[in-house]
Amino acid sequence: MKFKNSVLATLARTSVLAFSSVFLASAFVAPASALTLEELQEKNKLVVGVLAESVPWGFVNDQDQIVGYDPDVARLIAGELGIDEVEIVSVPVPSRIPELLSGKIDIAVAIMIMLPERAEVIQFSKPYGAQQIAVMGRTDLEVNDISDLEGLRVGVTMGSAQDTALTENAPEGTEILRFNGDAAQIQALITGHVDVIGGANTYMLNIEQAAPGRFEQKFVISSLYMGVGLRQEDQELHAAVNDAIDSLIASGALDEVSQRWLGQDLPEMPTEVEGVPFN
Amino acid sequence: MSYTLDFTRILAAWPDLLIGLGRTLELSIVAIALSISIGIVGASAKIWGIAPLRAIVSVYVNVIRNTPFVVQLFFLFFGLPSIGLRLDANTAALLTLSIYGGAYMVEIIRAGILSINKGQIEAGKSLGLSGRAVIRYIILRPALRTMYPALVGQSILILLTSSIVSAISVRELTHTAEHISAMTYRSFESYFVVLVVYFILNLFVSWLFAVIGRRAFNYPV
């Protein structure tokens, strides 16, 4: 099954922008020598760049603190590295990579989707999380893959990636209802106008809040993986971060983070991402 | 201006547009018929009904005419399921359009009936016509001719208003245009084509009403 993933395309376009700003930034930044784990442990402080405007990944809470999925992961990684203090720095999307390369932040845990264009300028760690486009629906429905959608009413946001994906791949007899926006689509699900909807897995948060226990995620249409961003010269730190992610997955700590912010277990992390070496 | 117009992908979607047009027509025609029925019943109740009935009709007309259509639509579609009444998108659209149009029709028809001179009605009665015959020949037929232009105008307005039901996923003409636009990123072309279709459609409807009017109202006053 092949999905046209326009989300990916959009992200790729955005990253081209980020990519070009990298050169701009690196033009007046002297190449730093590699940051070693020992140095960091000596300072006992890790400076982490996160996004602060993306609920639930990273956002400012009512106490003016940046909280969310990524800050939690950052603290866990720091703990694994044996560093006590974590400084969470808000970075805007376009300057995530420049700030990393210029040494303003040590690592970036900033919903960075692992894309080949980015992997050319920075080093990605192993994936620590995923953004998924999924089909969600009533708990009493038996829906395990796209062929089970036959005869069901499926809500999508008009013109979205999931609209294209489901319109092209759903079996004959699937009724696709298109709404002008996420809110209307979620309302249609909750009020029973549609049986399932296609959308970002973070929708489940709002759905669960409005109608606890009535809906669940059924299957994933496409996944985008997020990795920790590191400078290419920091090879030792990279290996240490990868080990940290391995043990955090093994201990279930990342599952907990995923449960806390997304209300679901961490999906299976891939051993490779096309065009993005991370080992 | 470096934008190059390209209508090929929009026009290639003509089967979808045709289906959308069909749904718009179906929805509008039924809604207009229901609105006029509501209008006749409502106007009669308001003129000849007992006090509580008149009050109910007044409340209905005032509430509907002083609230936005799109909110009425969302209330019926998204709101009513909370109290256990779930209408599918097509039913909710048809009902809201009819209830909305009906409120205006009540006033149009009431004004038409009231425009009949009292003396004319009394003349009918004194000629020995039955009550039913007075209503039919002395009141409704001449009143219909008076209110006809307003009735036609309101009907066309209902047809245009039907475009709003695209918001609750009814696949009518506007919804189809929105979808084509979202898929092709050709907003100018998509909406331009649909504007032309609506315009021609309404020219046709106006012409149809005019022909009906000429045939139906050639009786003497």
Side-chain angles (χ1 to χ4, degrees):
Chain A
M1 209 156 32
K2 227 183 144 190
F3 290 113
K4 249 194 205 169
N5 205 327
S6 68
V7 171
L8 222 133
T10 315
L11 284 165
R13 274 195 297 275
T14 330
S15 65
V16 169
L17 200 85
F19 190 64
S20 45
S21 46
V22 166
F23 288 114
L24 211 76
S26 49
F28 44 84
V29 171
S33 60
L35 183 67
T36 63
L37 186 57
E38 204 180 329
E39 259 175 81
L40 281 171
Q41 283 166 338
E42 221 160 88
K43 275 196 287 181
N44 203 16
K45 183 171 151 184
L46 185 68
V47 183
V48 184
V50 303
L51 296 192
E53 287 152 2
S54 307
V55 181
W57 307 102
F59 58 100
V60 179
N61 70 3
D62 47 13
Q63 275 116 46
D64 255 359
Q65 292 161 323
I66 301 173
V67 296
Y69 196 106
D70 282 345
D72 280 8
V73 171
R75 280 191 198 91
L76 286 171
I77 289 174
E80 289 291 319
L81 299 178
I83 301 167
D84 293 323
E85 197 193 328
V86 179
E87 188 184 335
I88 301 285
V89 181
S90 152
V91 292
V93 173
S95 57
R96 283 184 290 196
I97 293 175
E99 296 213 8
L100 180 66
L101 295 180
S102 68
K104 279 187 183 157
I105 53 175
D106 296 327
I107 61 171
V109 188
I111 340 175
M112 271 217 273
I113 302 297
M114 301 170 77
L115 295 174
E117 306 92 288
R118 290 179 184 163
E120 283 173 25
V121 266
I122 60 162
Q123 170 73 59
F124 273 111
S125 73
K126 294 186 164 182
Y128 68 87
Q131 285 188 38
Q132 297 178 316
I133 292 179
V135 165
M136 294 149 273
R138 285 207 319 271
T139 33
D140 62 294
L141 288 172
E142 186 71 33
V143 177
N144 298 315
D145 64 43
I146 200 157
S147 62
D148 292 335
L149 294 180
E150 193 178 337
L152 295 181
R153 297 163 303 164
V154 182
V156 291
T157 298
M158 193 183 273
S160 60
Q162 54 271 24
D163 183 359
T164 319
L166 291 171
T167 304
E168 281 176 8
N169 299 293
E172 194 89 5
T174 308
E175 193 186 344
I176 293 181
L177 291 109
R178 300 187 177 85
F179 295 91
N180 300 336
D182 303 349
Q185 177 197 358
I186 292 172
Q187 260 185 326
L189 178 69
I190 290 169
T191 51
H193 287 299
V194 294
D195 303 303
V196 298
I197 58 169
N201 58 343
T202 46
Y203 284 10
M204 274 314 294
L205 292 173
N206 307 16
I207 296 171
E208 199 51 32
Q209 212 167 32
R214 281 174 50 206
F215 302 97
E216 63 183 9
Q217 184 168 316
K218 296 297 188 185
F219 63 91
V220 173
I221 299 174
S222 62
S223 291
L224 295 164
Y225 295 98
M226 305 179 290
V228 175
L230 297 121
R231 281 179 292 268
Q232 280 176 339
E233 64 266 25
D234 299 345
Q235 282 306 318
E236 191 200 350
L237 186 59
H238 176 247
V241 168
N242 271 355
D243 288 344
I245 291 172
D246 275 342
S247 61
L248 289 171
I249 289 176
S251 73
L254 286 184
D255 265 334
E256 259 172 60
V257 174
S258 182
Q259 277 292 351
R260 188 177 314 140
W261 297 105
L262 304 179
Q264 54 189 249
D265 277 343
L266 186 74
E268 185 78 27
M269 288 294 126
T271 49
E272 56 182 41
V273 174
E274 210 187 315
V276 184
F278 55 76
N279 280 317
Chain B
M1 274 267 299
S2 57
Y3 190 75
T4 326
L5 292 178
D6 178 10
F7 283 96
T8 47
R9 292 183 67 189
I10 285 81
L11 297 176
W14 69 269
D16 291 333
L17 285 168
L18 208 61
I19 293 171
L21 176 64
R23 177 58 57 79
T24 289
L25 270 177
E26 184 189 347
L27 194 62
S28 307
I29 290 170
V30 180
I32 290 168
L34 283 175
S35 297
I36 294 176
S37 313
I38 293 173
I40 293 172
V41 173
S44 312
K46 223 175 164 185
I47 295 172
W48 298 299
I50 50 170
L53 211 57
R54 290 205 302 269
I56 290 170
V57 176
S58 288
V59 168
Y60 158 66
V61 169
N62 276 311
V63 166
I64 298 300
R65 295 209 310 178
N66 292 297
T67 50
F69 175 77
V70 68
V71 180
Q72 297 165 8
L73 182 71
F74 284 169
F75 181 74
L76 255 76
F77 187 70
F78 290 123
L80 290 189
S82 306
I83 56 163
L85 184 62
R86 188 166 68 235
L87 305 165
D88 67 63
N90 289 329
T91 315
L94 179 62
L95 256 179
T96 319
L97 261 181
S98 307
I99 291 171
Y100 168 82
Y104 289 87
M105 291 297 189
V106 167
E107 286 305 298
I108 290 171
I109 293 171
R110 191 177 73 101
I113 293 173
L114 291 181
S115 72
I116 303 299
N117 196 322
K118 258 200 172 139
Q120 193 171 318
I121 300 168
E122 275 156 17
K125 282 182 185 158
S126 61
L127 281 171
L129 289 173
S130 67
R132 190 174 289 182
V134 168
I135 289 178
R136 187 166 168 196
Y137 297 109
I138 309 293
I139 301 172
L140 286 185
R141 287 188 67 174
L144 192 58
R145 178 152 61 187
T146 315
M147 69 179 96
Y148 194 69
L151 218 62
V152 173
Q154 189 56 44
S155 299
I156 286 175
L157 217 55
I158 290 174
L159 197 154
L160 295 179
T161 307
S162 76
S163 64
I164 297 175
V165 306
S166 65
I168 58 164
S169 81
V170 177
R171 290 188 176 183
E172 44 70 77
L173 195 52
T174 303
H175 189 267
T176 311
E178 282 178 314
H179 191 223
I180 294 172
S181 161
M183 289 306 192
T184 61
Y185 302 107
R186 288 276 169 188
S187 303
F188 183 95
E189 291 89 335
S190 307
Y191 293 118
F192 184 77
V193 166
V194 169
L195 278 179
V196 171
V197 173
Y198 271 113
F199 183 67
I200 294 173
L201 182 63
N202 274 317
L203 280 187
F204 174 72
V205 171
S206 304
W207 171 81
L208 198 68
F209 271 118
V211 170
I212 294 171
R214 270 204 300 279
R215 303 247 158 163
F217 304 129
N218 55 4
Y219 48 78
V221 182

